[in-house]
Amino acid sequence: MTTTARTRIGWGAVALAVFAAAWGGNQFTPLLVMYRADAHMSEVVVDVLLFTYVLGIVPALLIGGPLSDRFGRRPLMLPSPLIAALGSGLLALGAQSAPLLALGRVCSGVALGLAMAVGGSWIKELSDRDGASVTAGARRAALSLTAGFGLGAGVAAVLAQWAPWPNQLAYLVNIGLAAVAFVLLLAVPETRIGSRDGSLLRDLTIPSARRREFWLQVAPTAPWVFGACAVAYAVLPALLAPLTSGWAIVFAGVCCLVGLTAGFFVQTLGRKIDRPGSPRALVVAMVATSVGMLLAAVAADALTIGLALLAAAVLGAGYGMSLIAGLLQVQRIAGPDDLAGLTALYYGLTYLGFASPAIMAAVAERYDVGYPAMLIFGAVMALVSLAVMLAGARRGPAAAATRRHREEDVLLDQSG
Protein backbone atom coordinates (compact mmCIF):
# COMPACT_ATOMS: atom_id res chain seq x y z
CA MET A 1 0.00 0.00 0.00
CA THR A 2 1.34 3.46 -0.91
CA THR A 3 2.21 6.12 1.63
CA THR A 4 -0.67 8.29 0.37
CA ALA A 5 -3.16 5.47 0.90
CA ARG A 6 -1.79 4.86 4.38
CA THR A 7 -2.34 8.47 5.42
CA ARG A 8 -6.03 8.21 4.47
CA ILE A 9 -6.55 5.33 6.86
CA GLY A 10 -6.65 6.79 10.31
CA TRP A 11 -8.24 6.48 13.69
CA GLY A 12 -11.27 4.53 12.42
CA ALA A 13 -9.22 1.41 11.68
CA VAL A 14 -7.60 1.52 15.11
CA ALA A 15 -11.00 2.13 16.68
CA LEU A 16 -12.27 -1.03 14.97
CA ALA A 17 -9.39 -3.03 16.46
CA VAL A 18 -10.19 -1.57 19.90
CA PHE A 19 -13.86 -2.39 19.31
CA ALA A 20 -12.99 -6.01 18.42
CA ALA A 21 -10.83 -6.42 21.52
CA ALA A 22 -13.55 -4.96 23.75
CA TRP A 23 -16.11 -7.25 22.10
CA GLY A 24 -13.87 -10.22 22.84
CA GLY A 25 -13.37 -9.10 26.42
CA ASN A 26 -17.05 -8.71 27.29
CA GLN A 27 -18.76 -11.41 25.21
CA PHE A 28 -18.09 -13.82 28.08
CA THR A 29 -20.05 -11.80 30.65
CA PRO A 30 -23.68 -12.62 29.75
CA LEU A 31 -22.69 -16.28 29.33
CA LEU A 32 -21.89 -16.56 33.04
CA VAL A 33 -25.46 -17.77 33.57
CA MET A 34 -24.94 -20.50 30.97
CA TYR A 35 -21.72 -21.74 32.56
CA ARG A 36 -23.34 -21.84 35.99
CA ALA A 37 -26.18 -23.99 34.66
CA ASP A 38 -24.67 -26.13 31.88
CA ALA A 39 -21.14 -26.63 33.20
CA HIS A 40 -22.30 -26.80 36.84
CA MET A 41 -19.69 -24.28 37.99
CA SER A 42 -20.11 -22.57 41.35
CA GLU A 43 -20.87 -18.87 41.76
CA VAL A 44 -17.36 -18.18 43.02
CA VAL A 45 -15.66 -20.11 40.18
CA VAL A 46 -17.67 -18.31 37.52
CA ASP A 47 -17.02 -14.89 39.04
CA VAL A 48 -13.31 -15.72 39.29
CA LEU A 49 -13.36 -16.57 35.57
CA LEU A 50 -14.92 -13.16 34.94
CA PHE A 51 -12.00 -11.55 36.78
CA THR A 52 -9.33 -13.83 35.28
CA TYR A 53 -8.90 -11.76 32.17
CA VAL A 54 -7.62 -8.93 34.35
CA LEU A 55 -4.52 -11.13 34.74
CA GLY A 56 -3.95 -10.56 31.04
CA ILE A 57 -5.11 -6.95 30.92
CA VAL A 58 -2.92 -5.47 33.63
CA PRO A 59 0.47 -6.80 32.41
CA ALA A 60 -0.43 -5.90 28.82
CA LEU A 61 -1.36 -2.41 29.96
CA LEU A 62 1.62 -1.76 32.19
CA ILE A 63 4.18 -3.23 29.80
CA GLY A 64 2.60 -2.62 26.41
CA GLY A 65 1.81 1.06 27.01
CA PRO A 66 5.34 2.14 27.95
CA LEU A 67 6.85 -0.10 25.25
CA SER A 68 4.72 1.62 22.63
CA ASP A 69 5.99 5.00 23.87
CA ARG A 70 9.51 3.65 23.27
CA PHE A 71 9.11 1.58 20.08
CA GLY A 72 6.01 3.05 18.43
CA ARG A 73 2.31 2.17 18.32
CA ARG A 74 2.22 -0.27 15.40
CA PRO A 75 4.51 -3.02 16.77
CA LEU A 76 2.53 -3.23 20.01
CA MET A 77 -0.99 -2.85 18.60
CA LEU A 78 -0.80 -5.20 15.61
CA PRO A 79 -0.83 -8.37 17.76
CA SER A 80 -4.01 -7.33 19.60
CA PRO A 81 -6.59 -8.64 17.07
CA LEU A 82 -4.64 -11.89 16.66
CA ILE A 83 -4.52 -12.49 20.42
CA ALA A 84 -8.22 -11.62 20.66
CA ALA A 85 -8.98 -14.29 18.05
CA LEU A 86 -6.84 -16.81 19.95
CA GLY A 87 -8.70 -16.05 23.17
CA SER A 88 -12.08 -16.52 21.51
CA GLY A 89 -10.90 -19.79 20.00
CA LEU A 90 -9.89 -21.14 23.41
CA LEU A 91 -13.21 -20.03 24.92
CA ALA A 92 -15.09 -21.79 22.13
CA LEU A 93 -13.23 -25.02 22.90
CA GLY A 94 -13.47 -24.77 26.69
CA ALA A 95 -17.18 -24.93 27.44
CA GLN A 96 -16.76 -27.69 30.04
CA SER A 97 -13.24 -26.83 31.20
CA ALA A 98 -12.58 -24.07 33.72
CA PRO A 99 -8.78 -24.09 33.07
CA LEU A 100 -9.29 -23.69 29.30
CA LEU A 101 -11.83 -20.94 29.87
CA ALA A 102 -9.38 -19.22 32.20
CA LEU A 103 -6.61 -19.39 29.58
CA GLY A 104 -8.94 -17.98 26.94
CA ARG A 105 -9.93 -15.17 29.28
CA VAL A 106 -6.28 -14.30 29.91
CA CYS A 107 -5.65 -14.09 26.15
CA SER A 108 -8.72 -11.89 25.72
CA GLY A 109 -7.34 -9.73 28.50
CA VAL A 110 -3.95 -9.34 26.85
CA ALA A 111 -5.63 -8.26 23.60
CA LEU A 112 -7.84 -5.79 25.42
CA GLY A 113 -4.97 -4.41 27.50
CA LEU A 114 -2.96 -3.64 24.37
CA ALA A 115 -6.01 -2.10 22.71
CA MET A 116 -6.80 0.13 25.66
CA ALA A 117 -3.30 1.49 26.29
CA VAL A 118 -1.72 1.43 22.84
CA GLY A 119 -4.85 1.69 20.71
CA GLY A 120 -6.24 4.55 22.78
CA SER A 121 -3.00 6.52 22.46
CA TRP A 122 -2.82 5.79 18.73
CA ILE A 123 -6.40 7.01 18.24
CA LYS A 124 -5.57 10.26 20.05
CA GLU A 125 -2.46 10.90 17.98
CA LEU A 126 -4.24 10.11 14.70
CA SER A 127 -7.10 12.40 15.72
CA ASP A 128 -4.64 15.19 16.53
CA ARG A 129 -2.97 14.66 13.15
CA ASP A 130 -6.35 15.10 11.44
CA GLY A 131 -7.01 18.38 13.27
CA ALA A 132 -9.78 17.10 15.58
CA SER A 133 -10.64 18.86 18.84
CA VAL A 134 -8.47 18.31 21.90
CA THR A 135 -11.06 16.00 23.47
CA ALA A 136 -11.74 13.94 20.32
CA GLY A 137 -9.06 11.33 20.95
CA ALA A 138 -10.25 10.43 24.45
CA ARG A 139 -13.89 10.47 23.33
CA ARG A 140 -13.28 8.22 20.31
CA ALA A 141 -11.24 5.74 22.34
CA ALA A 142 -13.87 5.59 25.10
CA LEU A 143 -16.75 5.20 22.64
CA SER A 144 -14.94 2.42 20.75
CA LEU A 145 -14.45 0.51 23.98
CA THR A 146 -17.99 1.02 25.20
CA ALA A 147 -19.55 0.07 21.86
CA GLY A 148 -17.46 -3.12 21.76
CA PHE A 149 -18.33 -4.01 25.35
CA GLY A 150 -22.05 -3.45 24.74
CA LEU A 151 -22.50 -5.07 21.33
CA GLY A 152 -20.22 -7.98 22.20
CA ALA A 153 -22.30 -8.80 25.24
CA GLY A 154 -25.64 -8.27 23.49
CA VAL A 155 -24.84 -10.37 20.42
CA ALA A 156 -23.27 -13.14 22.51
CA ALA A 157 -26.33 -13.32 24.74
CA VAL A 158 -28.76 -13.62 21.83
CA LEU A 159 -26.65 -16.23 20.03
CA ALA A 160 -26.12 -18.31 23.17
CA GLN A 161 -29.81 -18.22 24.07
CA TRP A 162 -31.43 -18.95 20.69
CA ALA A 163 -28.85 -19.78 18.00
CA PRO A 164 -27.19 -23.15 17.34
CA TRP A 165 -23.84 -23.98 18.94
CA PRO A 166 -24.47 -21.81 22.03
CA ASN A 167 -21.00 -22.49 23.41
CA GLN A 168 -19.17 -21.60 20.21
CA LEU A 169 -21.02 -19.32 17.79
CA ALA A 170 -20.59 -16.05 19.70
CA TYR A 171 -16.83 -16.60 19.88
CA LEU A 172 -16.61 -17.42 16.17
CA VAL A 173 -18.19 -14.05 15.37
CA ASN A 174 -15.46 -12.30 17.33
CA ILE A 175 -12.77 -14.27 15.51
CA GLY A 176 -14.10 -13.00 12.19
CA LEU A 177 -14.31 -9.43 13.46
CA ALA A 178 -10.76 -9.57 14.78
CA ALA A 179 -9.49 -10.86 11.43
CA VAL A 180 -11.04 -7.89 9.59
CA ALA A 181 -9.61 -5.47 12.15
CA PHE A 182 -6.12 -6.92 11.76
CA VAL A 183 -6.16 -6.52 7.96
CA LEU A 184 -7.26 -2.88 8.22
CA LEU A 185 -4.76 -2.17 10.97
CA LEU A 186 -1.88 -3.09 8.67
CA ALA A 187 -2.49 0.07 6.66
CA VAL A 188 -2.57 2.57 9.55
CA PRO A 189 0.44 4.92 9.65
CA GLU A 190 2.73 5.16 12.66
CA THR A 191 2.32 8.28 14.77
CA ARG A 192 4.95 7.72 17.41
CA ILE A 193 8.62 7.88 16.48
CA GLY A 194 9.99 5.78 19.28
CA SER A 195 12.75 7.12 21.48
CA ARG A 196 15.24 4.45 22.58
CA ASP A 197 17.42 6.79 24.61
CA GLY A 198 18.05 5.60 28.14
CA SER A 199 17.14 2.28 29.67
CA LEU A 200 13.97 0.33 29.08
CA LEU A 201 13.53 0.00 32.83
CA ARG A 202 13.39 3.78 33.14
CA ASP A 203 10.66 3.93 30.50
CA LEU A 204 8.59 1.39 32.42
CA THR A 205 8.58 3.66 35.47
CA ILE A 206 6.20 6.15 33.72
CA PRO A 207 7.56 9.52 34.93
CA SER A 208 4.22 11.33 34.89
CA ALA A 209 2.79 8.71 37.27
CA ARG A 210 4.68 10.52 40.02
CA ARG A 211 2.48 13.58 39.64
CA ARG A 212 0.28 14.35 42.60
CA GLU A 213 -2.82 15.09 40.50
CA PHE A 214 -2.95 11.55 39.22
CA TRP A 215 -2.96 9.87 42.61
CA LEU A 216 -5.18 12.41 44.38
CA GLN A 217 -7.74 13.08 41.65
CA VAL A 218 -7.75 10.23 39.14
CA ALA A 219 -6.73 7.12 41.08
CA PRO A 220 -9.41 7.30 43.85
CA THR A 221 -12.22 7.08 41.30
CA ALA A 222 -10.61 4.71 38.77
CA PRO A 223 -11.72 1.34 40.25
CA TRP A 224 -15.34 2.45 40.08
CA VAL A 225 -15.23 2.53 36.27
CA PHE A 226 -15.51 -1.25 35.98
CA GLY A 227 -16.73 -1.73 39.51
CA ALA A 228 -19.99 -0.12 38.37
CA CYS A 229 -20.07 -2.29 35.25
CA ALA A 230 -19.44 -5.48 37.18
CA VAL A 231 -22.41 -4.87 39.45
CA ALA A 232 -24.64 -3.95 36.50
CA TYR A 233 -24.00 -6.96 34.30
CA ALA A 234 -22.54 -9.67 36.54
CA VAL A 235 -24.10 -9.28 39.99
CA LEU A 236 -27.64 -8.17 39.10
CA PRO A 237 -28.35 -10.87 36.45
CA ALA A 238 -27.22 -13.57 38.88
CA LEU A 239 -29.50 -12.25 41.62
CA LEU A 240 -32.48 -12.02 39.25
CA ALA A 241 -31.90 -15.47 37.70
CA PRO A 242 -34.87 -17.05 39.58
CA LEU A 243 -37.19 -14.60 37.81
CA THR A 244 -35.71 -15.01 34.33
CA SER A 245 -35.79 -18.77 33.91
CA GLY A 246 -35.80 -19.62 30.21
CA TRP A 247 -34.24 -16.33 29.14
CA ALA A 248 -31.58 -15.77 31.79
CA ILE A 249 -28.73 -15.42 29.27
CA VAL A 250 -30.63 -12.80 27.29
CA PHE A 251 -31.51 -10.92 30.48
CA ALA A 252 -27.81 -10.81 31.37
CA GLY A 253 -27.14 -9.45 27.88
CA VAL A 254 -29.90 -6.88 28.29
CA CYS A 255 -28.33 -5.69 31.56
CA CYS A 256 -25.01 -5.31 29.72
CA LEU A 257 -26.61 -3.51 26.82
CA VAL A 258 -28.68 -1.17 28.99
CA GLY A 259 -25.73 -0.21 31.18
CA LEU A 260 -23.26 0.23 28.35
CA THR A 261 -25.73 2.09 26.14
CA ALA A 262 -26.25 4.55 28.98
CA GLY A 263 -22.47 4.80 29.30
CA PHE A 264 -22.08 5.32 25.54
CA PHE A 265 -24.49 8.27 25.41
CA VAL A 266 -23.13 9.81 28.60
CA GLN A 267 -19.66 9.75 27.07
CA THR A 268 -20.92 11.82 24.14
CA LEU A 269 -21.90 14.46 26.70
CA GLY A 270 -18.63 14.17 28.58
CA ARG A 271 -16.98 17.02 26.68
CA LYS A 272 -19.78 19.40 27.68
CA ILE A 273 -19.60 18.43 31.35
CA ASP A 274 -15.82 18.16 31.65
CA ARG A 275 -13.76 21.30 32.10
CA PRO A 276 -9.99 21.40 32.52
CA GLY A 277 -9.07 22.37 36.06
CA SER A 278 -12.51 21.42 37.40
CA PRO A 279 -13.49 18.10 39.03
CA ARG A 280 -17.14 18.37 38.09
CA ALA A 281 -17.16 15.51 35.57
CA LEU A 282 -15.76 13.12 38.16
CA VAL A 283 -18.25 14.46 40.72
CA VAL A 284 -21.13 13.64 38.35
CA ALA A 285 -19.61 10.20 37.74
CA MET A 286 -19.25 9.26 41.38
CA VAL A 287 -22.68 10.55 42.36
CA ALA A 288 -24.24 8.50 39.56
CA THR A 289 -22.26 5.44 40.67
CA SER A 290 -23.39 5.82 44.29
CA VAL A 291 -27.03 6.25 43.27
CA GLY A 292 -26.74 3.22 40.98
CA MET A 293 -25.36 1.11 43.83
CA LEU A 294 -28.28 2.11 46.04
CA LEU A 295 -30.76 1.23 43.28
CA ALA A 296 -28.98 -2.11 42.84
CA ALA A 297 -29.37 -2.74 46.58
CA VAL A 298 -33.11 -2.08 46.35
CA ALA A 299 -33.39 -4.32 43.28
CA ALA A 300 -31.45 -7.09 45.06
CA ASP A 301 -33.81 -6.88 48.02
CA ALA A 302 -37.07 -6.60 46.07
CA LEU A 303 -35.96 -8.88 43.17
CA THR A 304 -37.63 -6.63 40.63
CA ILE A 305 -36.58 -6.74 36.97
CA GLY A 306 -37.57 -3.13 36.29
CA LEU A 307 -35.50 -1.83 39.19
CA ALA A 308 -32.56 -3.98 38.14
CA LEU A 309 -32.60 -2.48 34.65
CA LEU A 310 -32.89 1.04 36.07
CA ALA A 311 -29.93 0.34 38.35
CA ALA A 312 -27.95 -1.02 35.39
CA ALA A 313 -28.66 2.18 33.42
CA VAL A 314 -27.57 4.48 36.25
CA LEU A 315 -24.47 2.40 36.93
CA GLY A 316 -23.71 2.51 33.22
CA ALA A 317 -23.95 6.29 33.29
CA GLY A 318 -21.51 6.33 36.19
CA TYR A 319 -19.15 4.06 34.25
CA GLY A 320 -19.32 6.18 31.11
CA MET A 321 -18.68 9.49 32.84
CA SER A 322 -15.91 8.03 35.02
CA LEU A 323 -14.14 6.60 31.99
CA ILE A 324 -14.23 9.70 29.79
CA ALA A 325 -13.38 12.06 32.68
CA GLY A 326 -10.50 9.85 33.78
CA LEU A 327 -9.06 9.57 30.27
CA LEU A 328 -9.24 13.33 29.75
CA GLN A 329 -7.45 13.90 33.04
CA VAL A 330 -4.77 11.36 32.12
CA GLN A 331 -4.16 13.05 28.77
CA ARG A 332 -3.68 16.38 30.55
CA ILE A 333 -1.32 14.95 33.15
CA ALA A 334 0.81 12.74 30.88
CA GLY A 335 4.12 13.97 29.55
CA PRO A 336 4.88 13.91 25.80
CA ASP A 337 6.82 10.64 26.07
CA ASP A 338 4.62 8.56 28.37
CA LEU A 339 1.01 9.05 27.27
CA ALA A 340 0.48 5.34 26.65
CA GLY A 341 2.25 4.45 29.88
CA LEU A 342 0.05 6.64 32.06
CA THR A 343 -3.06 5.54 30.14
CA ALA A 344 -2.04 1.95 30.86
CA LEU A 345 -1.63 2.65 34.57
CA TYR A 346 -5.04 4.31 34.67
CA TYR A 347 -6.74 1.38 32.96
CA GLY A 348 -4.94 -1.02 35.28
CA LEU A 349 -6.51 0.75 38.25
CA THR A 350 -9.96 0.74 36.62
CA TYR A 351 -9.89 -3.03 36.26
CA LEU A 352 -9.45 -3.54 39.99
CA GLY A 353 -13.22 -3.00 40.08
CA PHE A 354 -13.79 -6.24 38.20
CA ALA A 355 -12.84 -8.15 41.32
CA SER A 356 -16.03 -6.98 43.06
CA PRO A 357 -18.37 -9.83 41.94
CA ALA A 358 -15.92 -12.52 43.08
CA ILE A 359 -15.33 -10.73 46.40
CA MET A 360 -19.05 -10.31 46.98
CA ALA A 361 -19.77 -13.95 46.13
CA ALA A 362 -17.06 -15.13 48.53
CA VAL A 363 -18.30 -12.86 51.33
CA ALA A 364 -21.91 -13.99 50.81
CA GLU A 365 -20.86 -17.65 50.84
CA ARG A 366 -18.53 -17.51 53.83
CA TYR A 367 -20.08 -14.88 56.09
CA ASP A 368 -23.73 -15.07 55.05
CA VAL A 369 -23.90 -11.34 54.30
CA GLY A 370 -26.75 -10.31 52.00
CA TYR A 371 -26.14 -8.58 48.68
CA PRO A 372 -28.32 -5.55 49.58
CA ALA A 373 -26.05 -4.79 52.54
CA MET A 374 -22.90 -5.17 50.43
CA LEU A 375 -24.30 -2.91 47.71
CA ILE A 376 -25.21 -0.23 50.25
CA PHE A 377 -21.66 -0.46 51.56
CA GLY A 378 -20.47 0.02 47.97
CA ALA A 379 -22.57 3.17 47.62
CA VAL A 380 -20.98 4.60 50.77
CA MET A 381 -17.49 3.75 49.56
CA ALA A 382 -18.17 5.48 46.24
CA LEU A 383 -18.96 8.65 48.19
CA VAL A 384 -15.77 8.20 50.22
CA SER A 385 -13.82 8.02 46.95
CA LEU A 386 -15.56 11.20 45.83
CA ALA A 387 -14.54 12.95 49.06
CA VAL A 388 -10.90 11.89 48.59
CA MET A 389 -10.94 13.14 45.00
CA LEU A 390 -12.43 16.51 46.00
CA ALA A 391 -9.84 16.90 48.75
CA GLY A 392 -7.12 16.27 46.18
CA ALA A 393 -8.68 18.72 43.71
CA ARG A 394 -8.75 21.49 46.33
CA ARG A 395 -4.98 21.29 46.68
CA GLY A 396 -4.79 22.83 43.23
CA PRO A 397 -2.74 21.95 40.12
CA ALA A 398 0.72 23.22 39.43
CA ALA A 399 1.11 26.52 37.61
CA ALA A 400 2.16 24.83 34.37
CA ALA A 401 -0.89 22.59 34.45
CA THR A 402 -3.13 25.58 35.05
CA ARG A 403 -1.73 27.31 31.96
CA ARG A 404 -2.30 24.17 29.93
CA HIS A 405 -5.89 23.95 31.16
CA ARG A 406 -6.54 27.55 30.09
CA GLU A 407 -5.11 26.83 26.66
CA GLU A 408 -7.38 23.79 26.33
CA ASP A 409 -10.41 25.91 27.29
CA VAL A 410 -9.58 28.32 24.47
CA LEU A 411 -9.25 25.43 22.00
CA LEU A 412 -12.55 23.93 23.17
CA ASP A 413 -14.32 27.26 22.67
CA GLN A 414 -12.81 27.64 19.21
CA SER A 415 -13.83 24.11 18.19
CA GLY A 416 -17.41 24.64 19.37
Side-chain angles (χ1 to χ4, degrees), residues 42-69:
S42 71
E43 189 82 23
V44 174
V45 169
V46 171
D47 286 335
V48 168
L49 285 172
L50 176 67
F51 179 71
T52 299
Y53 89 132
V54 176
L55 301 179
I57 289 173
V58 173
L61 284 169
L62 297 182
I63 297 174
L67 285 180
S68 78
D69 286 326

Side-chain angles (χ1 to χ4, degrees), residues 297-317:
V298 176
D301 184 61
L303 295 180
T304 304
I305 290 176
L307 274 175
L309 293 176
L310 177 61
V314 177
L315 287 167

Side-chain angles (χ1 to χ4, degrees), residues 224 289-291 293-294 374-384:
W224 292 100
T289 299
S290 183
V291 171
M293 296 292 282
L294 289 174
M374 288 188 284
L375 291 167
I376 291 172
F377 177 76
V380 173
M381 292 308 297
L383 294 178
V384 170

Side-chain angles (χ1 to χ4, degrees), residues 220-221 224 279 282-284 286-287 381-391:
T221 61
W224 292 100
L282 285 172
V283 171
V284 171
M286 296 312 298
V287 169
M381 292 308 297
L383 294 178
V384 170
S385 299
L386 171 60
V388 173
M389 183 273 295
L390 287 173

Side-chain angles (χ1 to χ4, degrees), residues 282-372:
L282 285 172
V283 171
V284 171
M286 296 312 298
V287 169
T289 299
S290 183
V291 171
M293 296 292 282
L294 289 174
L295 287 171
V298 176
D301 184 61
L303 295 180
T304 304
I305 290 176
L307 274 175
L309 293 176
L310 177 61
V314 177
L315 287 167
Y319 148 81
M321 185 53 64
S322 296
L323 181 60
I324 188 65
L327 284 174
L328 287 170
Q329 285 285 76
V330 164
Q331 291 182 4
R332 292 172 188 133
I333 293 169
D337 295 324
D338 62 356
L339 171 61
L342 193 64
T343 301
L345 178 58
Y346 169 69
Y347 275 132
L349 292 174
T350 66
Y351 267 100
L352 293 176
F354 245 113
S356 54
I359 293 171
M360 294 171 76
V363 169
E365 183 179 281
R366 182 168 183 178
Y367 299 105
D368 196 28
V369 177
Y371 274 86

Side-chain angles (χ1 to χ4, degrees), residues 107-119:
C107 290
S108 297
V110 171
L112 183 55
L114 291 174
M116 294 172 86
V118 184

